[in-house]
Amino acid sequence: MDKLLEKQLQNASLASREMMHVDTAQKNEALKAISQALLNHIDDIIIANEKDLAVAKSNGMSDAMMDRLLLNKERIESIAKDVLKLVDLDDPVGQVIREIHRPNGLLIKQVRVPMGVFGIIYESRPNVTVDIACLCIKSSNVCVLKGGKEAINSNKTLTNIMQNAIKSILPDYTVQLIENNDRAMVTQLITANDYVDVVVPRGGAGLINHVVKNATVPVIETGAGNCHLYIDKDADMKKAIDISVNAKIQRPSVCNAIETILVHKDIANTYLPKMVEAFDGRVEIRGDEITQSIISCHKATEQDYATEYDDYIVAIKVVDSIEEAIAHIYKYSTKHSEAIITENQEAADLFMNSLDSACVYLNASTRFSDGGEFGFGAELGISTQKLHARGPLALLEMTSFQYKVYGNGQVRK
Amino acid sequence: MDKLLEKQLQNASLASREMMHVDTAQKNEALKAISQALLNHIDDIIIANEKDLAVAKSNGMSDAMMDRLLLNKERIESIAKDVLKLVDLDDPVGQVIREIHRPNGLLIKQVRVPMGVFGIIYESRPNVTVDIACLCIKSSNVCVLKGGKEAINSNKTLTNIMQNAIKSILPDYTVQLIENNDRAMVTQLITANDYVDVVVPRGGAGLINHVVKNATVPVIETGAGNCHLYIDKDADMKKAIDISVNAKIQRPSVCNAIETILVHKDIANTYLPKMVEAFDGRVEIRGDEITQSIISCHKATEQDYATEYDDYIVAIKVVDSIEEAIAHIYKYSTKHSEAIITENQEAADLFMNSLDSACVYLNASTRFSDGGEFGFGAELGISTQKLHARGPLALLEMTSFQYKVYGNGQVRK
């Protein structure tokens, strides 16, 4: 392992032991200090960010990507404000999940404890650096961050500001950044089982697949969202249209936006023209043959149904039955979020109880799959795996638990 | 992928969708049918087992290993009885963990759901085949089992008996065995992300490491238990001795037995001779220099402290302080179970709140780290990782959860 990285990970591991003894007040004090320090250093952050933007521009980065990378006064103030929001959230650490009194007198407490060391690998947006570090602090975890190389100057400055702000409040090495942009760093981080407790990749499918394939440290997968909306034959048309528009284009670039709309054949003639009208030319429509016979649109291929566009594009398929819709979702879904629009109780029950996606919706937009919208406060991402965390990966899911067993000399018979 | 394996996994995946609709009564009926079928086919099982034993003998298998492989009438009756015990346990599936009413009228239910398809890889003991299949049934999961090749005839017969017993009660392919002993089957199983939801290796360190290193499917690690007992300077001597004996030799071959005893220097002169007396020659003692100056024993090496003996051997180290004991445990522990013996509240608090092992004990034997002893009923193993399941991996931990969101046309603002 790279010597500097190993030293960082050793320090992180030691810091995680100290974090077990940090209380809520200290953590909140640290969050307030970070928020204030960000506001105090707006100019420094902008200068660092401008360096990244200049490199990005000379490398021919697209405007959309440049916008993701940009930090201005308004955005930094918004980041600082989000940090303060964490102060008011419940501290998950120390919560007693179960208390079991055994006949032999043993008292078993199942208690929430920090996970330990989080290794987080992410891409361009530098605000993520602050978001993640502060979520880790609130949950008594230590983080080792590996951001995108295009944001390295911004990330270094943000990390320095945070480290200085918490210096006298939390253990040293609670927040660390891997500054070396050699790709081997990622591989070493995700196989450092001696030091790292969990790895979370935040980014595109390429990054996530690389981490899942190569990690030996347990991984929480986040983000991939090929989400579906099924318009049942007994759908309320207003709900169907309102939710189609909201779930597709309120913010198409995010993982909880829908990519495919499945339409029951009995309602397709009514729904599809209304949908076209509601999208009002803002969405490229790709449909199967039946769809093409009803509305004017491009042809949808197998590949379309498998694609998370994250864009103003939607795939449409007309289905013979709710069972066909469910089978289609099983075939193509990334198990993130799926919704049914129906007034029929039987259809609703079948849909809600037959899918194994993290979130299933009846008559509501998939855009609600979000820690804030669920009432959990901030989130680290949306987990699409079944182990440990599903859906919003919020503070509660950033903890593990431990059994503390109190006895008085008991031995096993 | 091997064609037959792929077919099995496809069938398992389809069966897992059907298992979402199976109710508690059906599952309990299936368990009773399996229990009865095992009793009805004792002779068939013994005949198959004798084939395995004959092969094992001709391959020069040790007596201890032959005993692990052996199934006789008494053992089969005991397995059948254990299956019946599952009937009385609470069904975890469908339990509502949280019910959240949002200001916008959304009702969010966090509901326990089956994990889906379990891939389980294990070694010689054929009783595991039945234990795991039945735990999976009770938690509405589907299992694909890969047992040791030395037990292949026993496992085939047991699986056939179970499959026939549940044929008219549960979906086909709920329980399947991989009969091909090619080692590539394991690699293919643990990388079959399209079909398998979680992999659990049950066996020695070699098996576990192979799975952790090569799996892309999420893994729950179980079993490795380098457990510690710390005798504090303020220990009650009777508790210290009783628990030392129980934790070391009540059943040394299991993962929750202790391997190392750490003794505070102020109590070593009293404790160590009493320990020797209590072990009464049944345990080989390997101590550091200070230990050797107090009692007659072998020399302990670094390697000893890192070893899970699972045998009548114990490593001893005299420490200067509780902090040194904690540091030693962090260095060598597999994060399974650790215990402190003390009457000193401050020392107890420090130990119980400073270690990140799955189970920590005050004045009780580590041998209690067990689903049955914790009151959870049966278990699939003891998890030593921090993600999802820690400590006893019982029915509750064999489930995932899902957010079911009920709306009335809500869209995100």
Side-chain angles (χ1 to χ4, degrees):
Chain A
M1 191 186 292
D2 177 75
K3 286 294 162 208
L4 180 59
L5 179 63
E6 182 152 38
K7 191 73 205 154
Q8 282 190 300
L9 297 182
Q10 281 168 349
N11 286 333
S13 183
L14 290 170
S16 76
R17 297 189 208 170
E18 293 181 56
M19 279 297 275
M20 293 169 78
H21 303 285
V22 165
D23 64 22
T24 309
Q26 281 169 280
K27 296 190 287 185
N28 286 341
E29 196 193 333
L31 294 171
K32 288 178 194 167
I34 287 174
S35 180
Q36 189 55 54
L38 291 169
L39 296 176
N40 294 348
H41 291 88
I42 288 181
D43 292 345
D44 300 332
I45 298 168
I46 289 176
I47 290 169
N49 187 246
E50 280 171 352
K51 278 193 218 168
D52 289 330
L53 290 169
V55 174
K57 188 156 193 170
S58 72
N59 287 340
M61 186 184 272
S62 72
D63 285 353
M65 289 298 285
M66 292 275 280
D67 185 64
R68 289 165 78 103
L69 187 54
L70 175 73
L71 290 176
N72 53 29
K73 182 162 179 288
E74 194 190 358
R75 286 188 182 182
I76 298 165
E77 283 170 352
S78 162
I79 295 170
K81 206 169 144 192
D82 283 345
V83 173
L84 277 189
K85 282 189 196 157
L86 292 176
V87 172
D88 294 326
L89 296 180
D90 286 343
D91 186 348
V93 175
Q95 290 180 2
V96 177
I97 302 169
R98 282 189 282 186
E99 200 168 285
I100 304 158
H101 296 266
R102 297 295 299 155
N104 60 4
L106 283 182
L107 166 62
I108 304 175
K109 285 189 185 183
Q110 185 182 18
V111 182
R112 282 197 202 284
V113 295
M115 192 72 77
V117 177
F118 269 83
I120 318 234
I121 303 129
Y122 54 103
E123 290 169 340
S124 49
R125 292 180 200 268
N127 63 303
V128 171
T129 305
V130 179
D131 291 352
I132 291 173
C134 291
L135 277 165
C136 284
I137 287 172
K138 183 77 191 202
S139 52
S140 299
N141 288 300
V142 164
C143 63
V144 179
L145 306 168
K146 177 72 190 78
K149 70 168 188 288
E150 63 286 355
I152 185 68
N153 291 295
S154 311
N155 288 339
K156 274 162 75 168
T157 299
L158 290 168
T159 305
N160 281 336
I161 291 169
M162 291 193 284
Q163 286 168 339
N164 286 325
I166 64 176
K167 192 171 269 177
S168 57
I169 310 169
L170 296 181
D172 289 343
Y173 308 111
T174 296
V175 175
Q176 292 184 92
L177 177 73
I178 300 174
E179 299 185 8
N180 184 339
N181 281 321
D182 183 344
R183 293 198 65 168
M185 295 303 109
V186 170
T187 311
Q188 292 180 15
L189 177 66
I190 66 181
T191 54
N193 295 55
D194 285 345
Y195 307 116
V196 182
D197 293 291
V198 58
V199 160
V200 182
R202 268 191 59 160
L207 171 65
I208 294 172
N209 289 339
H210 175 80
V211 171
V212 168
K213 192 155 181 193
N214 294 289
T216 51
V217 175
V219 176
I220 301 180
E221 275 188 66
T222 68
N226 189 3
C227 302
H228 298 78
L229 177 63
Y230 167 60
I231 313 293
D232 187 48
K233 67 179 167 55
D234 296 318
D236 174 282
M237 194 52 63
K238 180 171 179 344
K239 291 176 191 167
I241 294 299
D242 287 352
I243 291 171
S244 298
V245 171
N246 186 258
K248 182 62 246 179
I249 57 175
Q250 193 231 7
R251 199 168 164 207
S253 65
V254 293
C255 61
N256 57 20
I258 55 163
E259 309 298 351
T260 294
I261 300 176
L262 303 164
V263 188
H264 193 283
K265 66 176 180 351
D266 292 355
I267 203 170
N269 279 308
T270 329
Y271 168 78
L272 288 173
K274 281 186 196 289
M275 181 200 78
V276 170
E277 193 186 327
F279 281 155
D280 195 22
R282 291 170 293 181
V283 179
E284 180 185 325
I285 300 165
R286 301 184 187 174
D288 63 345
E289 279 185 27
I290 308 179
T291 303
Q292 287 187 303
S293 75
I294 302 171
I295 57 170
S296 160
C297 65
H298 298 269
K299 168 121 192 68
T301 63
E302 276 289 295
Q303 189 51 43
D304 280 304
Y305 296 125
T307 300
E308 183 181 354
Y309 301 117
D310 284 342
D311 204 344
Y312 289 87
I313 307 171
V314 70
I316 308 281
K317 189 178 183 188
V318 174
V319 294
D320 285 346
S321 64
I322 183 170
E323 288 78 11
E324 189 187 340
I326 291 169
H328 178 99
I329 294 172
Y330 264 103
K331 184 164 180 192
Y332 296 105
S333 172
T334 55
K335 299 187 193 296
H336 187 302
S337 299
E338 332 290 349
I340 180 174
I341 311 300
T342 190
E343 301 297 310
N344 179 319
Q345 189 64 46
E346 205 179 317
D349 288 345
L350 183 63
F351 189 90
M352 298 295 278
N353 297 323
S354 297
L355 288 167
D356 72 341
S357 300
C359 309
V360 286
Y361 289 85
L362 169 63
N363 293 330
S365 172
T366 56
R367 289 278 295 114
F368 288 111
S369 291
D370 171 272
E373 294 295 330
F374 273 27
F376 304 161
E379 63 174 38
L380 192 59
I382 301 284
S383 163
T384 53
Q385 70 183 34
K386 292 182 180 177
L387 217 57
H388 187 75
R390 285 195 100 182
L393 173 54
L395 288 172
L396 215 57
E397 290 76 26
M398 292 178 71
T399 62
S400 179
F401 62 80
Q402 194 179 33
Y403 291 103
K404 303 196 186 214
V405 186
Y406 298 88
N408 188 31
Q410 283 86 345
V411 295
R412 186 157 168 189
K413 296 276 184 320
Chain B
M1 189 185 295
D2 177 75
K3 287 290 162 214
L4 181 57
L5 179 63
E6 183 154 35
K7 191 74 206 153
Q8 281 189 300
L9 297 182
Q10 280 169 348
N11 286 333
S13 183
L14 289 171
S16 76
R17 298 190 207 171
E18 292 180 57
M19 278 298 274
M20 292 169 78
H21 302 286
V22 164
D23 65 22
T24 310
Q26 281 170 282
K27 297 190 285 185
N28 286 340
E29 194 193 336
L31 294 171
K32 288 179 194 167
I34 287 175
S35 180
Q36 190 55 53
L38 291 169
L39 295 175
N40 293 348
H41 291 89
I42 289 180
D43 292 345
D44 299 331
I45 299 168
I46 289 175
I47 290 168
N49 186 246
E50 279 170 350
K51 279 193 216 168
D52 289 329
L53 290 168
V55 174
K57 189 159 192 166
S58 73
N59 289 341
M61 187 183 272
S62 72
D63 285 354
M65 289 296 286
M66 292 274 281
D67 185 63
R68 291 166 75 104
L69 187 55
L70 175 73
L71 290 176
N72 53 29
K73 182 164 180 288
E74 194 190 356
R75 288 188 181 183
I76 297 165
E77 284 170 352
S78 163
I79 295 170
K81 207 169 141 192
D82 283 344
V83 173
L84 277 189
K85 282 186 194 158
L86 292 177
V87 171
D88 295 326
L89 296 180
D90 285 342
D91 186 345
V93 175
Q95 289 180 4
V96 177
I97 301 169
R98 284 189 280 187
E99 201 168 283
I100 303 159
H101 295 267
R102 297 295 299 156
N104 60 5
L106 284 183
L107 166 63
I108 304 175
K109 287 189 184 183
Q110 186 183 19
V111 182
R112 282 198 201 284
V113 295
M115 193 72 80
V117 177
F118 269 82
I120 318 236
I121 304 129
Y122 53 102
E123 290 169 340
S124 47
R125 294 181 198 266
N127 61 303
V128 171
T129 305
V130 179
D131 291 352
I132 290 174
C134 291
L135 277 164
C136 284
I137 288 171
K138 183 76 191 203
S139 51
S140 300
N141 288 299
V142 163
C143 63
V144 179
L145 306 168
K146 176 73 190 78
K149 70 170 189 288
E150 63 285 356
I152 186 67
N153 291 295
S154 310
N155 288 339
K156 275 161 75 169
T157 300
L158 290 168
T159 304
N160 280 335
I161 291 168
M162 290 192 286
Q163 286 168 339
N164 286 326
I166 64 176
K167 191 171 272 176
S168 57
I169 310 169
L170 297 181
D172 288 343
Y173 308 110
T174 296
V175 174
Q176 292 183 92
L177 177 73
I178 299 174
E179 299 186 7
N180 183 341
N181 281 320
D182 184 342
R183 294 198 65 170
M185 295 302 112
V186 170
T187 310
Q188 292 180 15
L189 176 66
I190 66 182
T191 54
N193 295 53
D194 285 345
Y195 307 117
V196 182
D197 293 290
V198 57
V199 160
V200 182
R202 270 190 59 159
L207 170 65
I208 293 172
N209 290 339
H210 174 78
V211 171
V212 168
K213 195 158 176 186
N214 295 290
T216 51
V217 176
V219 176
I220 301 179
E221 276 189 66
T222 68
N226 189 4
C227 302
H228 297 78
L229 177 64
Y230 167 60
I231 313 294
D232 186 48
K233 67 180 169 55
D234 296 318
D236 174 283
M237 196 50 66
K238 181 171 179 338
K239 291 175 190 166
I241 295 300
D242 287 353
I243 291 170
S244 298
V245 171
N246 186 260
K248 182 64 245 179
I249 59 177
Q250 193 230 8
R251 199 168 165 206
S253 64
V254 291
C255 60
N256 58 18
I258 55 162
E259 309 298 351
T260 294
I261 301 177
L262 303 164
V263 188
H264 192 283
K265 67 178 180 351
D266 294 354
I267 204 171
N269 280 305
T270 329
Y271 168 79
L272 288 173
K274 280 186 197 289
M275 181 201 76
V276 171
E277 194 186 329
F279 281 154
D280 195 21
R282 290 170 293 180
V283 179
E284 180 185 324
I285 300 166
R286 301 182 186 174
D288 64 345
E289 279 185 25
I290 308 179
T291 304
Q292 286 187 304
S293 73
I294 302 171
I295 57 170
S296 159
C297 65
H298 299 270
K299 169 117 190 70
T301 62
E302 277 287 296
Q303 188 51 44
D304 280 306
Y305 297 125
T307 301
E308 183 181 354
Y309 300 119
D310 285 343
D311 204 347
Y312 289 87
I313 307 172
V314 71
I316 308 281
K317 189 178 185 189
V318 175
V319 293
D320 285 346
S321 64
I322 182 170
E323 287 80 9
E324 189 186 338
I326 290 169
H328 178 101
I329 294 172
Y330 263 103
K331 185 165 179 190
Y332 296 105
S333 171
T334 55
K335 301 187 192 292
H336 187 301
S337 299
E338 332 291 349
I340 181 174
I341 310 300
T342 190
E343 300 298 309
N344 180 318
Q345 189 64 47
E346 206 178 316
D349 288 345
L350 183 63
F351 188 91
M352 298 294 278
N353 297 324
S354 297
L355 288 168
D356 72 340
S357 299
C359 309
V360 286
Y361 288 86
L362 169 64
N363 293 328
S365 172
T366 55
R367 289 278 294 113
F368 288 110
S369 290
D370 172 270
E373 294 294 331
F374 273 26
F376 304 160
E379 63 174 38
L380 192 60
I382 301 284
S383 163
T384 53
Q385 70 183 35
K386 291 182 179 175
L387 217 57
H388 187 76
R390 285 195 99 182
L393 174 53
L395 289 173
L396 215 55
E397 290 76 26
M398 292 177 71
T399 62
S400 180
F401 61 81
Q402 193 179 35
Y403 291 102
K404 301 194 187 214
V405 185
Y406 298 88
N408 188 31
Q410 283 85 346
V411 295
R412 186 159 170 188
K413 298 275 183 322

